[in-house]
Amino acid sequence: MWSFELLPHPDPAQQTVLVVIAPRDKVEEQLTALEQSGFVADRLAVPLAGQLRELPAGDGLWVLAEDGGTVTHFLLAWRVNKVWLDVSMATIPQGGALAGVVEPA
């Protein structure tokens, strides 16, 4: 399953798009739990993606974190010349170590 988020681009002739792809079985597993509580989903959401639009202008590496209860979501985004070059996401269980998620290059 897939979804997308539009991000600003300094060149009006171009558009930056963050594409989200997830295995159908994992999405359906989550949807089943959500629908049992009355929630109806219409798209895949990326935690913290909306905050990319609100960050101050400028280049650099941005690390955003959000407590999800039993997990912490991290969004790492790299911007150069006002263009998002890379956006990555990691989800770490509470009490988990980054060493199990981040591998050295």
Side-chain angles (χ1 to χ4, degrees), residues 39-51:
F39 183 82
V40 178
D42 63 347
R43 55 178 276 171
L44 296 174
V46 179
L48 305 164
Q51 290 185 23

Side-chain angles (χ1 to χ4, degrees), residues 22-100:
R24 180 176 293 278
D25 62 327
K26 297 295 183 184
V27 172
E28 289 177 353
E29 183 180 305
Q30 292 295 318
L31 283 176
T32 299
L34 291 170
E35 289 170 349
Q36 289 174 352
S37 65
F39 183 82
V40 178
D42 63 347
R43 55 178 276 171
L44 296 174
V46 179
L48 305 164
Q51 290 185 23
L52 291 176
R53 288 186 215 85
E54 300 171 12
L55 291 173
D59 295 343
L61 173 66
W62 300 88
V63 180
L64 306 173
E66 177 180 75
D67 182 3
T70 60
V71 298
T72 300
H73 302 289
F74 290 92
L75 192 72
L76 300 104
W78 178 35
R79 184 168 55 193
V80 175
N81 295 325
K82 300 180 182 179
V83 176
W84 294 107
L85 297 182
D86 185 70
V87 178
S88 301
M89 184 176 165
T91 300
I92 301 171
Q94 290 292 356
L98 283 175

